[in-house]
Amino acid sequence: MSKVGIRDVAKLAGVSTGTVSRVLNDHPSVTKDVRARVEGIIKELGYLPDPSARSMRSKVSRLIGIVIPDLTNPFFSELVQSAEQAAANHGYNIIVMTSLDHAAKEADRIKQLTSRKVDGIILVPSNDFHTLKLPKGLPIVVVDRLMPGYSGIAADHRNGVRLGVEHLLKLGHRRIGFISGPGHSVPANDRLRGYLDAIEHAGEQADGSAKMAGPPLIAEAAFDYESGRSAGNYLLARARNERPTAIFASSDQQAIGCMRAAHDLGIPVPAALSIVGFDGIPLASMTTPRLTTVKQPIQDVAAAAVAVLLNKQTAPELDDPILFACEVLEGETTAPPQPD
Amino acid sequence: MSKVGIRDVAKLAGVSTGTVSRVLNDHPSVTKDVRARVEGIIKELGYLPDPSARSMRSKVSRLIGIVIPDLTNPFFSELVQSAEQAAANHGYNIIVMTSLDHAAKEADRIKQLTSRKVDGIILVPSNDFHTLKLPKGLPIVVVDRLMPGYSGIAADHRNGVRLGVEHLLKLGHRRIGFISGPGHSVPANDRLRGYLDAIEHAGEQADGSAKMAGPPLIAEAAFDYESGRSAGNYLLARARNERPTAIFASSDQQAIGCMRAAHDLGIPVPAALSIVGFDGIPLASMTTPRLTTVKQPIQDVAAAAVAVLLNKQTAPELDDPILFACEVLEGETTAPPQPD
DNA sequence: TTGTAAGCGTTATCAG
DNA sequence: CTGATAACGCTTACAA
């Protein structure tokens, strides 16, 4: 009872190996009954095609690679999980690799995937990525951190942030601080523009009712918890009637760091300070109070990326990415502002 | 400039394909200078071996599969990330799959990996796993949720919990509650035994100074946030001089849920209640106050699992798992108890 | 529609 | 130590 091959199946089914192969690959030109008989034998023998042999001949590996900066980041782990589910639905499997945000490692990983003959790569570029050029001829879809010149898929960060800030405006806030992401990051800048969109649009209201008070309050920071905390400290370190009554953070982790900062300064949330995050990671609903946040449609993004690689969906044009809408998830960190 | 193969290298180096192959595989019987020349040509041509062809002949895929219940769980994502790094160091790559704690899906995934001809599987069994039998002949190492009858690697949960509870005992706590994991889970029971070890041992102290007050306070719960919260509510819903002054939770997520419960009940942490979690996920240091927790050595576990699969390390005997020691990470949720 | 047979790019078995 | 050469298990023209 050693390894059963395609010839065993062929012999037992009374057909040729070619026919069995055709059955395996859903080739249209096989009669119904022959197909049925062959499939019967396949099941009976518990035959499993050898992927190596298959891929050697056909140049198709049914493998797709995914390279992300850091699997520890809940946003990326959800992305990978979603991609895995989507790929599995099509008979594909996922090879994960993490670049740890290190361009050299990233380049190495991409090369590995190339030589593995994966059918496509989903890439979330590391932050110092620009130096790298991607191999041509292998379908690559850039996700989340879009890069000019490559077809990409992402959430609509800009509009998502705008929705979040408008949520604060609607509550009556007029001094809204913003914790931005690192300046060189594409999504960080998109998010910043969303904030500016909202502020600007508010300033244009005819009756001036939504006019923003004072200059924009922006603090640049990395996306992580500690950076959010110090950015929060920075924004809140001024007289009560000058400091923001609400802060929009570019990531949930920043927002949580900011909550910590407020807590340390004795500023109650949301009574004296509203906070909104961005991402919608599970953690957001586990804070006290629960964080209000703008949720990215990660599953949609992942599914679309897989679909594009499998040619189930036309790839986005270069420099014209596919964007998916975000959604405000109301928690307990937002409330109307107190009078000064 | 199409695909360069082993024969191109052979021709240019003036040797046979066999020799090139031997160079590629570090076969000892190749003279230094021949090897050098071949390696030179390889670099020059940028030749990359084709993994499919390689694996077809050699039956080695340099691929290892990892099946976990849920990548969204930070514990598992760190496990995967560590395994990926370890594997990459040996020229191996990782195929990830998530079972979503669903036995049928898990069985399917394992079958997929088998037919992929991976060289080994790292498995964290789903919770309703018992029904499944693993394919023989393919090296499988069970991680974290050990199963009798399979060789496994894990953190020493039992002793880790004991350390954590003893930390509370040393602070002076005598009514220590315990939120356990689901009753059918192996690690949950290990953790429970660790708690009982500590309590029991404390009761044996000669001078009786550490004698526990009252019966053990144990609440069973799932490992997640919400369950931790309701378990916390349950344990704390009694008169002040009867309720625990400290709670040990079997997971960080439970612990954080428990913090929330305490907060909602108006019980200050750590002033009136100390809390210790288990796992040491990044999230633990992002709470307010920072959670004291018992950290699992995930990286060690992952590296060992990979090493075993690559035969770099002898596999653990069945029913005699390799265990790695945990460590108490002191945060801000633990303090001496208040007098009643 | 189905059978036949030629490879795909390596590794492994022999000789030499 | 090295060179031929036969597999490895399958896909895919090309014929029938």
Side-chain angles (χ1 to χ4, degrees):
Chain A
M1 204 227 117
S2 72
K3 51 213 89 179
V4 27
I6 201 179
R7 12 203 344 146
D8 304 299
V9 177
K11 197 157 297 172
L12 248 153
V15 298
S16 75
T17 61
T19 301
V20 177
S21 173
R22 271 163 224 141
V23 171
L24 254 32
N25 297 287
D26 293 313
H27 193 96
S29 61
V30 181
T31 46
K32 233 183 174 89
D33 38 338
V34 174
R35 172 181 302 271
R37 188 164 76 252
V38 172
E39 280 172 340
I41 304 288
I42 287 181
K43 214 149 287 174
E44 189 179 322
L45 262 44
Y47 162 78
L48 290 175
D50 177 336
S52 313
R54 217 167 198 199
S55 121
M56 176 156 81
R57 269 305 293 199
S58 65
K59 302 305 177 195
V60 171
S61 61
R62 288 176 175 280
L63 235 30
I64 99 174
I66 177 165
V67 181
I68 57 174
D70 176 17
L71 198 55
T72 276
N73 180 322
F75 175 78
F76 295 135
S77 59
E78 189 175 342
L79 182 72
V80 171
Q81 172 140 298
S82 302
E84 196 268 323
Q85 302 291 322
N89 290 339
H90 297 287
Y92 273 67
N93 295 132
I94 296 274
I95 295 185
V96 257
M97 300 185 156
T98 52
S99 64
L100 304 182
D101 246 316
H102 188 29
K105 210 159 199 162
E106 178 172 67
D108 171 72
R109 297 298 199 256
I110 291 178
K111 193 189 296 180
Q112 282 188 46
L113 287 175
T114 307
S115 82
R116 274 266 180 227
K117 297 266 167 50
V118 296
D119 294 342
I121 295 181
I122 295 177
L123 172 66
V124 179
S126 77
N127 271 328
D128 47 331
F129 179 75
H130 346 278
T131 81
L132 191 63
K133 53 187 164 195
L134 303 179
K136 275 300 180 191
L138 180 57
I140 293 196
V141 46
V142 174
V143 159
D144 188 49
R145 303 181 181 173
L146 303 182
M147 297 197 310
Y150 290 95
S151 63
I153 300 178
D156 190 344
H157 298 178
R158 180 172 180 171
N159 205 55
V161 170
R162 177 171 178 162
L163 291 175
V165 174
E166 284 176 350
H167 178 69
L168 290 169
L169 285 166
K170 255 176 254 154
L171 285 171
H173 292 275
R174 290 303 173 266
R175 285 198 307 277
I176 303 177
F178 185 75
I179 302 178
S180 80
H184 50 82
S185 149
V186 174
N189 283 311
D190 282 350
R191 294 174 201 183
L192 176 56
R193 282 193 293 171
Y195 167 73
L196 296 174
D197 287 350
I199 297 301
E200 189 176 322
H201 185 258
E204 287 169 0
Q205 300 289 84
D207 61 355
S209 71
K211 189 144 173 251
M212 292 299 296
L217 303 159
I218 300 177
E220 184 173 327
F223 281 126
D224 62 84
Y225 170 76
E226 260 316 305
S227 307
R229 181 176 171 182
S230 47
N233 273 321
Y234 168 76
L235 289 175
L236 295 173
R238 50 193 96 190
R240 172 165 187 153
N241 60 353
E242 289 187 359
R243 74 175 185 224
T245 61
I247 291 182
F248 188 101
S250 290
S251 78
D252 285 342
Q253 310 217 347
Q254 282 176 346
I256 292 166
C258 188
M259 285 172 68
R260 168 89 191 203
H263 178 267
D264 289 350
L265 291 170
I267 303 175
V269 173
L273 177 72
S274 288
I275 297 181
V276 177
F278 189 91
D279 274 346
I281 60 180
L283 168 55
S285 60
M286 294 173 52
T287 54
T288 311
R290 256 185 284 276
L291 181 64
T292 295
T293 186
V294 176
K295 177 163 182 52
Q296 292 197 52
I298 306 188
Q299 298 195 7
D300 297 336
V301 170
V306 169
V308 164
L309 289 183
L310 303 194
N311 294 313
K312 298 293 183 186
Q313 178 178 325
T314 55
E317 294 298 314
L318 301 189
D319 300 310
D320 185 18
I322 300 179
L323 297 182
F324 288 89
C326 298
E327 168 194 18
V328 174
L329 243 55
E330 230 179 306
E332 306 159 342
T333 55
T334 39
Q338 288 176 320
D340 276 343
Chain B
M1 205 227 117
S2 73
K3 48 214 92 181
V4 27
I6 202 177
R7 12 201 346 143
D8 304 296
V9 176
K11 198 156 297 173
L12 248 155
V15 297
S16 74
T17 61
T19 302
V20 177
S21 172
R22 283 182 279 255
V23 170
L24 256 32
N25 297 286
D26 293 313
H27 194 97
S29 61
V30 181
T31 46
K32 230 184 176 88
D33 37 339
V34 174
R35 172 181 302 271
R37 187 163 76 253
V38 173
E39 281 173 339
I41 304 289
I42 287 181
K43 215 149 284 174
E44 191 180 321
L45 294 173
Y47 161 79
L48 289 175
D50 177 334
S52 312
R54 218 169 198 199
S55 123
M56 176 158 86
R57 260 316 269 184
S58 66
K59 302 305 178 198
V60 171
S61 61
R62 289 178 175 281
L63 235 30
I64 98 175
I66 176 165
V67 181
I68 56 174
D70 176 15
L71 198 55
T72 274
N73 180 324
F75 175 77
F76 295 135
S77 59
E78 187 174 345
L79 182 71
V80 171
Q81 171 139 300
S82 301
E84 196 268 323
Q85 301 292 322
N89 290 339
H90 297 288
Y92 273 67
N93 294 131
I94 297 276
I95 295 184
V96 255
M97 302 186 152
T98 52
S99 64
L100 304 182
D101 246 317
H102 188 32
K105 209 157 200 165
E106 178 171 69
D108 171 71
R109 297 299 200 255
I110 290 178
K111 194 189 296 181
Q112 282 188 45
L113 287 175
T114 307
S115 82
R116 273 270 180 223
K117 296 270 166 52
V118 296
D119 294 342
I121 294 181
I122 296 177
L123 171 67
V124 180
S126 77
N127 271 328
D128 48 330
F129 179 76
H130 348 276
T131 79
L132 191 64
K133 54 188 162 193
L134 302 179
K136 274 302 181 191
L138 179 58
I140 293 195
V141 44
V142 174
V143 159
D144 188 50
R145 302 181 181 173
L146 302 183
M147 296 196 311
Y150 290 95
S151 64
I153 300 180
D156 189 342
H157 298 177
R158 181 173 182 172
N159 205 56
V161 170
R162 177 170 179 165
L163 290 176
V165 174
E166 285 177 348
H167 178 69
L168 290 168
L169 286 167
K170 257 177 251 153
L171 284 172
H173 292 275
R174 291 300 174 270
R175 285 198 307 278
I176 302 178
F178 185 76
I179 302 178
S180 79
H184 49 82
S185 148
V186 174
N189 284 312
D190 281 350
R191 294 175 201 182
L192 175 56
R193 282 193 293 171
Y195 167 74
L196 296 174
D197 286 349
I199 297 301
E200 189 175 323
H201 185 259
E204 287 170 358
Q205 299 291 84
D207 61 355
S209 70
K211 190 143 175 250
M212 293 298 297
L217 303 160
I218 299 177
E220 185 172 326
F223 281 126
D224 63 84
Y225 172 76
E226 261 316 307
S227 308
R229 181 175 170 182
S230 47
N233 273 322
Y234 168 77
L235 290 175
L236 296 172
R238 51 194 93 189
R240 169 161 190 157
N241 61 353
E242 288 187 0
R243 74 176 185 224
T245 62
I247 291 182
F248 188 101
S250 289
S251 79
D252 285 342
Q253 310 217 346
Q254 282 177 344
I256 292 166
C258 187
M259 283 172 70
R260 167 92 190 198
H263 177 267
D264 289 349
L265 292 170
I267 303 175
V269 173
L273 177 70
S274 289
I275 297 182
V276 178
F278 190 90
D279 274 345
I281 61 180
L283 170 53
S285 60
M286 296 172 50
T287 54
T288 310
R290 255 185 285 278
L291 181 65
T292 295
T293 185
V294 177
K295 178 163 181 50
Q296 291 198 51
I298 306 188
Q299 297 196 6
D300 297 336
V301 170
V306 170
V308 165
L309 290 182
L310 302 194
N311 293 313
K312 298 291 183 187
Q313 180 177 324
T314 54
E317 293 300 313
L318 302 189
D319 299 312
D320 185 18
I322 301 179
L323 297 182
F324 288 89
C326 298
E327 170 192 17
V328 174
L329 243 54
E330 231 179 306
E332 306 158 342
T333 55
T334 39
Q338 289 176 319
D340 276 342

PDB file of all heavy atoms in Angstrom, chain B residues 164-165 167-168 246-252 255 274-278 291-294 328 333-334:
ATOM      1  N   GLY B 164       3.033  32.539  39.721  1.00  0.00           N
ATOM      2  CA  GLY B 164       2.187  33.729  39.790  1.00  0.00           C
ATOM      3  C   GLY B 164       1.398  33.787  41.079  1.00  0.00           C
ATOM      4  O   GLY B 164       1.307  34.848  41.729  1.00  0.00           O
ATOM      5  N   VAL B 165       0.832  32.655  41.473  1.00  0.00           N
ATOM      6  CA  VAL B 165       0.044  32.630  42.703  1.00  0.00           C
ATOM      7  C   VAL B 165       0.950  32.854  43.911  1.00  0.00           C
ATOM      8  O   VAL B 165       0.592  33.554  44.856  1.00  0.00           O
ATOM      9  CB  VAL B 165      -0.725  31.307  42.824  1.00  0.00           C
ATOM     10  CG1 VAL B 165      -1.432  31.221  44.169  1.00  0.00           C
ATOM     11  CG2 VAL B 165      -1.726  31.177  41.685  1.00  0.00           C
ATOM     12  N   HIS B 167       3.517  34.608  43.939  1.00  0.00           N
ATOM     13  CA  HIS B 167       3.800  36.043  43.972  1.00  0.00           C
ATOM     14  C   HIS B 167       2.737  36.758  44.812  1.00  0.00           C
ATOM     15  O   HIS B 167       3.050  37.619  45.645  1.00  0.00           O
ATOM     16  CB  HIS B 167       3.811  36.588  42.547  1.00  0.00           C
ATOM     17  CG  HIS B 167       4.038  38.062  42.442  1.00  0.00           C
ATOM     18  ND1 HIS B 167       5.235  38.652  42.756  1.00  0.00           N
ATOM     19  CD2 HIS B 167       3.218  39.067  42.068  1.00  0.00           C
ATOM     20  CE1 HIS B 167       5.148  39.959  42.571  1.00  0.00           C
ATOM     21  NE2 HIS B 167       3.931  40.234  42.162  1.00  0.00           N
ATOM     22  N   LEU B 168       1.502  36.366  44.618  1.00  0.00           N
ATOM     23  CA  LEU B 168       0.408  36.957  45.389  1.00  0.00           C
ATOM     24  C   LEU B 168       0.499  36.570  46.863  1.00  0.00           C
ATOM     25  O   LEU B 168       0.256  37.404  47.750  1.00  0.00           O
ATOM     26  CB  LEU B 168      -0.944  36.504  44.815  1.00  0.00           C
ATOM     27  CG  LEU B 168      -1.287  37.095  43.441  1.00  0.00           C
ATOM     28  CD1 LEU B 168      -2.483  36.377  42.830  1.00  0.00           C
ATOM     29  CD2 LEU B 168      -1.558  38.585  43.567  1.00  0.00           C
ATOM     30  N   ALA B 246      -7.374  39.025  45.823  1.00  0.00           N
ATOM     31  CA  ALA B 246      -6.558  38.900  44.612  1.00  0.00           C
ATOM     32  C   ALA B 246      -7.177  37.838  43.718  1.00  0.00           C
ATOM     33  O   ALA B 246      -7.819  36.907  44.204  1.00  0.00           O
ATOM     34  CB  ALA B 246      -5.128  38.514  44.970  1.00  0.00           C
ATOM     35  N   ILE B 247      -7.004  38.022  42.414  1.00  0.00           N
ATOM     36  CA  ILE B 247      -7.520  37.033  41.462  1.00  0.00           C
ATOM     37  C   ILE B 247      -6.430  36.686  40.462  1.00  0.00           C
ATOM     38  O   ILE B 247      -5.772  37.567  39.913  1.00  0.00           O
ATOM     39  CB  ILE B 247      -8.759  37.574  40.715  1.00  0.00           C
ATOM     40  CG1 ILE B 247      -9.943  37.709  41.677  1.00  0.00           C
ATOM     41  CG2 ILE B 247      -9.125  36.658  39.549  1.00  0.00           C
ATOM     42  CD1 ILE B 247     -11.212  38.197  41.028  1.00  0.00           C
ATOM     43  N   PHE B 248      -6.259  35.390  40.277  1.00  0.00           N
ATOM     44  CA  PHE B 248      -5.357  34.941  39.224  1.00  0.00           C
ATOM     45  C   PHE B 248      -6.212  34.457  38.060  1.00  0.00           C
ATOM     46  O   PHE B 248      -7.077  33.595  38.229  1.00  0.00           O
ATOM     47  CB  PHE B 248      -4.464  33.800  39.712  1.00  0.00           C
ATOM     48  CG  PHE B 248      -3.386  33.440  38.732  1.00  0.00           C
ATOM     49  CD1 PHE B 248      -2.079  33.888  38.912  1.00  0.00           C
ATOM     50  CD2 PHE B 248      -3.675  32.702  37.585  1.00  0.00           C
ATOM     51  CE1 PHE B 248      -1.093  33.582  37.994  1.00  0.00           C
ATOM     52  CE2 PHE B 248      -2.691  32.401  36.656  1.00  0.00           C
ATOM     53  CZ  PHE B 248      -1.395  32.847  36.854  1.00  0.00           C
ATOM     54  N   ALA B 249      -5.984  35.033  36.880  1.00  0.00           N
ATOM     55  CA  ALA B 249      -6.755  34.640  35.697  1.00  0.00           C
ATOM     56  C   ALA B 249      -5.893  33.760  34.797  1.00  0.00           C
ATOM     57  O   ALA B 249      -4.695  33.977  34.666  1.00  0.00           O
ATOM     58  CB  ALA B 249      -7.226  35.873  34.946  1.00  0.00           C
ATOM     59  N   SER B 250      -6.521  32.806  34.159  1.00  0.00           N
ATOM     60  CA  SER B 250      -5.791  31.834  33.337  1.00  0.00           C
ATOM     61  C   SER B 250      -5.342  32.379  31.993  1.00  0.00           C
ATOM     62  O   SER B 250      -4.655  31.698  31.241  1.00  0.00           O
ATOM     63  CB  SER B 250      -6.656  30.597  33.095  1.00  0.00           C
ATOM     64  OG  SER B 250      -6.783  29.859  34.275  1.00  0.00           O
ATOM     65  N   SER B 251      -5.781  33.577  31.664  1.00  0.00           N
ATOM     66  CA  SER B 251      -5.286  34.210  30.440  1.00  0.00           C
ATOM     67  C   SER B 251      -5.269  35.715  30.644  1.00  0.00           C
ATOM     68  O   SER B 251      -5.984  36.238  31.502  1.00  0.00           O
ATOM     69  CB  SER B 251      -6.164  33.858  29.240  1.00  0.00           C
ATOM     70  OG  SER B 251      -7.328  34.645  29.232  1.00  0.00           O
ATOM     71  N   ASP B 252      -4.464  36.398  29.858  1.00  0.00           N
ATOM     72  CA  ASP B 252      -4.415  37.848  29.981  1.00  0.00           C
ATOM     73  C   ASP B 252      -5.752  38.464  29.594  1.00  0.00           C
ATOM     74  O   ASP B 252      -6.192  39.450  30.171  1.00  0.00           O
ATOM     75  CB  ASP B 252      -3.307  38.407  29.096  1.00  0.00           C
ATOM     76  CG  ASP B 252      -1.929  38.167  29.691  1.00  0.00           C
ATOM     77  OD1 ASP B 252      -1.848  37.884  30.896  1.00  0.00           O
ATOM     78  OD2 ASP B 252      -0.938  38.266  28.948  1.00  0.00           O
ATOM     79  N   ALA B 255      -7.967  38.251  32.386  1.00  0.00           N
ATOM     80  CA  ALA B 255      -7.530  39.188  33.418  1.00  0.00           C
ATOM     81  C   ALA B 255      -8.017  40.595  33.102  1.00  0.00           C
ATOM     82  O   ALA B 255      -8.473  41.338  33.972  1.00  0.00           O
ATOM     83  CB  ALA B 255      -6.011  39.167  33.540  1.00  0.00           C
ATOM     84  N   SER B 274      -5.901  42.754  43.741  1.00  0.00           N
ATOM     85  CA  SER B 274      -4.753  42.480  42.870  1.00  0.00           C
ATOM     86  C   SER B 274      -5.175  41.495  41.787  1.00  0.00           C
ATOM     87  O   SER B 274      -5.996  40.605  42.033  1.00  0.00           O
ATOM     88  CB  SER B 274      -3.597  41.882  43.675  1.00  0.00           C
ATOM     89  OG  SER B 274      -3.013  42.860  44.505  1.00  0.00           O
ATOM     90  N   ILE B 275      -4.629  41.691  40.594  1.00  0.00           N
ATOM     91  CA  ILE B 275      -4.968  40.787  39.493  1.00  0.00           C
ATOM     92  C   ILE B 275      -3.694  40.348  38.783  1.00  0.00           C
ATOM     93  O   ILE B 275      -2.801  41.163  38.513  1.00  0.00           O
ATOM     94  CB  ILE B 275      -5.898  41.485  38.474  1.00  0.00           C
ATOM     95  CG1 ILE B 275      -7.233  41.857  39.154  1.00  0.00           C
ATOM     96  CG2 ILE B 275      -6.158  40.590  37.271  1.00  0.00           C
ATOM     97  CD1 ILE B 275      -8.232  42.511  38.225  1.00  0.00           C
ATOM     98  N   VAL B 276      -3.614  39.064  38.497  1.00  0.00           N
ATOM     99  CA  VAL B 276      -2.490  38.544  37.717  1.00  0.00           C
ATOM    100  C   VAL B 276      -3.035  37.760  36.532  1.00  0.00           C
ATOM    101  O   VAL B 276      -3.983  36.986  36.676  1.00  0.00           O
ATOM    102  CB  VAL B 276      -1.592  37.623  38.563  1.00  0.00           C
ATOM    103  CG1 VAL B 276      -0.456  37.050  37.730  1.00  0.00           C
ATOM    104  CG2 VAL B 276      -1.027  38.376  39.761  1.00  0.00           C
ATOM    105  N   GLY B 277      -2.468  37.980  35.379  1.00  0.00           N
ATOM    106  CA  GLY B 277      -2.889  37.257  34.182  1.00  0.00           C
ATOM    107  C   GLY B 277      -1.894  36.173  33.801  1.00  0.00           C
ATOM    108  O   GLY B 277      -0.923  35.914  34.519  1.00  0.00           O
ATOM    109  N   PHE B 278      -2.166  35.567  32.673  1.00  0.00           N
ATOM    110  CA  PHE B 278      -1.267  34.519  32.200  1.00  0.00           C
ATOM    111  C   PHE B 278      -1.144  34.582  30.680  1.00  0.00           C
ATOM    112  O   PHE B 278      -2.166  34.667  29.976  1.00  0.00           O
ATOM    113  CB  PHE B 278      -1.793  33.139  32.593  1.00  0.00           C
ATOM    114  CG  PHE B 278      -0.817  32.021  32.351  1.00  0.00           C
ATOM    115  CD1 PHE B 278       0.071  31.645  33.329  1.00  0.00           C
ATOM    116  CD2 PHE B 278      -0.768  31.376  31.124  1.00  0.00           C
ATOM    117  CE1 PHE B 278       0.990  30.621  33.110  1.00  0.00           C
ATOM    118  CE2 PHE B 278       0.143  30.352  30.894  1.00  0.00           C
ATOM    119  CZ  PHE B 278       1.029  29.972  31.896  1.00  0.00           C
ATOM    120  N   LEU B 291      -0.904  45.352  33.437  1.00  0.00           N
ATOM    121  CA  LEU B 291      -1.213  44.050  34.038  1.00  0.00           C
ATOM    122  C   LEU B 291       0.038  43.276  34.471  1.00  0.00           C
ATOM    123  O   LEU B 291       0.998  43.153  33.712  1.00  0.00           O
ATOM    124  CB  LEU B 291      -1.989  43.208  33.020  1.00  0.00           C
ATOM    125  CG  LEU B 291      -2.434  41.817  33.453  1.00  0.00           C
ATOM    126  CD1 LEU B 291      -3.447  41.909  34.589  1.00  0.00           C
ATOM    127  CD2 LEU B 291      -3.031  41.062  32.278  1.00  0.00           C
ATOM    128  N   THR B 292       0.000  42.786  35.678  1.00  0.00           N
ATOM    129  CA  THR B 292       1.015  41.823  36.098  1.00  0.00           C
ATOM    130  C   THR B 292       0.639  40.466  35.506  1.00  0.00           C
ATOM    131  O   THR B 292      -0.515  40.059  35.572  1.00  0.00           O
ATOM    132  CB  THR B 292       1.049  41.710  37.634  1.00  0.00           C
ATOM    133  OG1 THR B 292       1.462  42.955  38.188  1.00  0.00           O
ATOM    134  CG2 THR B 292       2.035  40.627  38.065  1.00  0.00           C
ATOM    135  N   THR B 293       1.603  39.788  34.930  1.00  0.00           N
ATOM    136  CA  THR B 293       1.254  38.552  34.233  1.00  0.00           C
ATOM    137  C   THR B 293       2.387  37.540  34.266  1.00  0.00           C
ATOM    138  O   THR B 293       3.532  37.884  34.589  1.00  0.00           O
ATOM    139  CB  THR B 293       0.861  38.850  32.766  1.00  0.00           C
ATOM    140  OG1 THR B 293       0.406  37.650  32.143  1.00  0.00           O
ATOM    141  CG2 THR B 293       2.059  39.381  31.990  1.00  0.00           C
ATOM    142  N   VAL B 294       2.036  36.318  33.938  1.00  0.00           N
ATOM    143  CA  VAL B 294       3.043  35.269  33.827  1.00  0.00           C
ATOM    144  C   VAL B 294       3.323  35.043  32.350  1.00  0.00           C
ATOM    145  O   VAL B 294       2.432  34.665  31.603  1.00  0.00           O
ATOM    146  CB  VAL B 294       2.547  33.961  34.471  1.00  0.00           C
ATOM    147  CG1 VAL B 294       3.570  32.849  34.278  1.00  0.00           C
ATOM    148  CG2 VAL B 294       2.252  34.174  35.946  1.00  0.00           C
ATOM    149  N   VAL B 328       7.377  35.492  35.881  1.00  0.00           N
ATOM    150  CA  VAL B 328       6.434  36.530  36.321  1.00  0.00           C
ATOM    151  C   VAL B 328       6.900  37.900  35.826  1.00  0.00           C
ATOM    152  O   VAL B 328       8.043  38.281  36.046  1.00  0.00           O
ATOM    153  CB  VAL B 328       6.314  36.557  37.859  1.00  0.00           C
ATOM    154  CG1 VAL B 328       5.445  37.729  38.295  1.00  0.00           C
ATOM    155  CG2 VAL B 328       5.741  35.246  38.369  1.00  0.00           C
ATOM    156  N   THR B 333      -0.758  45.854  38.679  1.00  0.00           N
ATOM    157  CA  THR B 333      -2.052  45.381  39.183  1.00  0.00           C
ATOM    158  C   THR B 333      -1.918  44.534  40.434  1.00  0.00           C
ATOM    159  O   THR B 333      -2.870  43.888  40.844  1.00  0.00           O
ATOM    160  CB  THR B 333      -2.797  44.559  38.122  1.00  0.00           C
ATOM    161  OG1 THR B 333      -1.945  43.487  37.692  1.00  0.00           O
ATOM    162  CG2 THR B 333      -3.159  45.415  36.934  1.00  0.00           C
ATOM    163  N   THR B 334      -0.729  44.525  41.000  1.00  0.00           N
ATOM    164  CA  THR B 334      -0.548  43.741  42.220  1.00  0.00           C
ATOM    165  C   THR B 334       0.024  44.592  43.331  1.00  0.00           C
ATOM    166  O   THR B 334       0.927  45.400  43.117  1.00  0.00           O
ATOM    167  CB  THR B 334       0.398  42.542  41.968  1.00  0.00           C
ATOM    168  OG1 THR B 334       1.451  42.961  41.090  1.00  0.00           O
ATOM    169  CG2 THR B 334      -0.340  41.409  41.317  1.00  0.00           C
TER     170      THR B 334
END
